[in-house]
């Protein structure tokens, strides 16, 4: 009897294959997505800053990867397009009505393959961006499928990229670039606490020219802007970028990222050169006030181009001199680690008295085999300070190399004591998870606003360094 009832039970849907079952399930989820979208396009005043932009970027990446079958460099290009469009929309269409968005009705139309103004509106926005920043984009159209495009736009549309704090935006963008553009030549991105420490210790002024010859996505340059704006009330970002800020980056996609970041800080986007910084740049030689950089390390390969090597003293073989020093020979090495060449390159860029903050493998400052390099450094520069960076600082960024931040001043320079410090706490663990400060009783330390305080020594180190400089500069009584 039970068997007969099962046979006679009416079937509510026709039998489907496993593929069709998946399609039905996916479609139901997508219709649920439509119900979560707004009925009208977002208004500028309703946009809110994001406190977890990295998670949003990851979600967008994962959706593109799952639905487009693109390689990571193609995903990068499409995401950059959309981020630039989003920023452009906030800056140009705030009063006339935002265009970067999708409504619930538009999403339903896309699912049912009906006509929708969504794709046409986004393409118009992209063409407006492309016409203003033609140096950034060669594609004539967006490459994502309409449904994928709808997902990414839906995730970004309620966020204000303009009002999202610079450190959150910078960290998210740098993590995004790192995920898609990390190469095999030792290009590791610099943790934000290290970037901030270097800028605060080098203390650039509004009339000084700053360059990063291995600028990556522009972290040191953006932090320089943040530092100058914080300490100078009438600081004009756009004018400063155009007149005083420069970057060089070998990877074209990463150079594009840095150009975009500066363009939306008020620059023209031409402040970043896509080039090999180890080649000669005569127009910059001896003209720069400050160099801030984290060059690629040689753990995954050395520079072997003889055209480059023959122009560097540190690419030659050195012999111990009778005067207890070192002498360079005429013999050019078959290869040299890039960070060693970058030290010499940075000193060439600086004017006399110019200052350098550079992240280097700690072995360069300690190993006996590098004694001649330290000898050369002391012959051309005054060592201002050395800060030992904990090994876990770079682990979330792809390397476990122990590093130090070295501060130099090109000779001639005023005599100063050498500042030495060690970072014990960087504010996060080896997995990149935040670590918060605790008092002697093990209780979490909170700020006046009630927020937990990161366990990060870099602020105290930069403060101690600058206090020492102030004391040395004060006239004796």
């Amino acid at each position: 009897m039970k068997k007969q009832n099962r046979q006679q039970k009416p079937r509510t849907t026709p039998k489907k294959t496993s593929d069709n079952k998946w399609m039905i399930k996916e479609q139901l989820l997508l219709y649920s997505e439509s119900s979560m979208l707004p009925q009208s396009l977002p208004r500028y005043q309703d946009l809110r800053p994001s406190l977890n932009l990295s998670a949003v970027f990851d979600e967008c990446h994962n959706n593109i990867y799952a639905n487009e079958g693109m390689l990571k460099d193609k995903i990068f290009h499409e995401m950059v397009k959309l981020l630039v469009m989003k920023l452009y929309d906030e800056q140009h269409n705030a009063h006339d009505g935002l265009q970067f968005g999708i409504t619930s009705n538009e999403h339903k139309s896309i699912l049912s393959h009906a006509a929708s103004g969504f794709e046409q509106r986004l393409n118009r926005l992209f063409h407006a961006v492309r016409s203003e920043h033609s140096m950034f984009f060669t594609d004539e159209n967006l490459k994502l499928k309409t449904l994928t495009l709808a997902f990414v736009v839906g995730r970004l549309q309620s966020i204000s990229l303009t009002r999202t704090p610079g450190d959150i935006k910078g960290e998210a963008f740098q993590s995004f670039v790192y995920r898609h553009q990390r190469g095999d030549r030792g290009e590791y991105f610099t943790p934000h606490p290290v970037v901030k420490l270097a800028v605060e210790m080098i203390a650039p002024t509004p009339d000084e020219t700053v360059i990063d010859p291995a600028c990556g996505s522009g972290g040191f340059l953006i932090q320089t802007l943040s530092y100058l704006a914080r300490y100078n009330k009438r600081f004009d970002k756009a004018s400063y970028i155009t007149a005083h800020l420069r970057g060089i980056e070998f990877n074209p996609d990463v150079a594009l990222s840095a150009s975009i970041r500066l363009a939306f800080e008020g620059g023209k986007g031409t402040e970043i050169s896509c080039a090999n910084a180890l080649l000669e740049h005569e127009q910059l030689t001896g003209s720069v006030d400050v160099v801030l950089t984290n060059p690629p390390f040689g753990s995954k390969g050395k520079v072997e181009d003889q055209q480059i090597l023959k122009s560097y003293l540190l690419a030659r073989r050195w012999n111990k001199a009778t005067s207890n020093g070192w002498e360079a020979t005429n013999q050019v090495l078959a290869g040299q680690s890039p960070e060693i060449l970058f030290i010499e390159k940075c000193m060439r860029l600086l004017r006399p008295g110019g200052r350098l903050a550079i992240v280097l493998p700690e072995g360069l400052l300690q190993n006996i085999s590098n004694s001649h390099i330290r000898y050369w450094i002391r012959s051309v520069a005054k060592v201002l300070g050395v800060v030992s960076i904990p090994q876990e600082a770079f682990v979330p960024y792809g390397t476990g190399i122990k590093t130090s931040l070295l501060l130099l001043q090109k000779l001639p320079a005023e005599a100063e004591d050498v500042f030495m410090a060690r970072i014990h706490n960087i504010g996060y663990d080896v997995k990149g998870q935040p670590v918060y400060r605790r008092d002697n009783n093990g209780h979490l330390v909170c700020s006046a606003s009630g927020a937990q305080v990161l366990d990060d020594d870099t602020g105290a180190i930069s403060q101690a360094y600058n206090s020492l400089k102030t004391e040395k500069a004060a006239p004796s009584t």
Side-chain angles (χ1 to χ4, degrees), residues 203-376:
T205 61
D207 60 342
E208 290 186 316
T209 297
V210 177
I211 188 171
D212 182 349
C215 71
S217 60
F220 281 108
L221 305 180
I222 296 298
Q223 185 60 37
T224 296
L225 291 175
S226 176
Y227 173 87
L228 290 172
R230 187 164 66 250
Y231 291 105
N232 300 275
K233 293 182 179 179
R234 297 183 179 180
F235 179 66
D236 185 340
K237 278 188 179 182
S239 297
Y240 180 82
I241 293 172
T242 303
H244 295 296
L245 214 55
R246 296 291 180 269
I248 305 173
E249 171 53 43
F250 197 23
N251 184 313
D253 287 333
V254 180
L256 170 64
S257 304
S259 297
I260 290 168
R261 292 182 73 180
L262 286 186
F264 284 101
E265 291 286 348
K268 296 180 179 179
T270 57
E271 297 82 10
I272 304 297
S273 301
C274 182
N276 185 344
L278 293 176
L279 296 172
E280 288 301 319
H281 294 80
E282 296 296 338
Q283 70 276 20
L284 296 173
T285 300
S287 65
V288 177
D289 299 294
V290 172
V291 177
L292 293 156
T293 195
N294 174 21
F297 299 160
S299 58
K300 290 193 175 182
K302 295 185 176 183
V303 176
E304 298 177 347
D305 186 340
Q306 288 294 307
Q307 289 297 111
I308 293 176
L309 295 174
K310 68 181 184 181
S311 65
Y312 286 87
L313 278 173
L314 295 181
R316 298 183 186 181
R317 188 173 301 281
W318 286 63
N319 291 332
K320 194 81 167 117
T322 54
S323 59
N324 204 29
W326 291 84
E327 294 178 341
T329 70
N330 292 324
Q331 183 181 353
V332 178
L333 301 173
Q336 180 60 287
S337 298
E339 70 273 15
I340 296 174
L341 301 181
F342 265 97
I343 300 172
E344 186 172 344
K345 180 65 181 183
C346 291
M347 298 311 298
R348 291 183 188 179
L349 291 171
L350 288 172
R351 62 165 176 79
R355 307 183 306 287
L356 165 65
I358 183 170
V359 179
L360 294 170
E362 200 158 90
L364 269 179
L365 308 180
Q366 295 181 354
N367 294 346
I368 295 177
S369 59
N370 293 319
S371 297
H372 66 288
I373 296 173
R374 297 191 291 273
Y375 175 84
W376 180 87

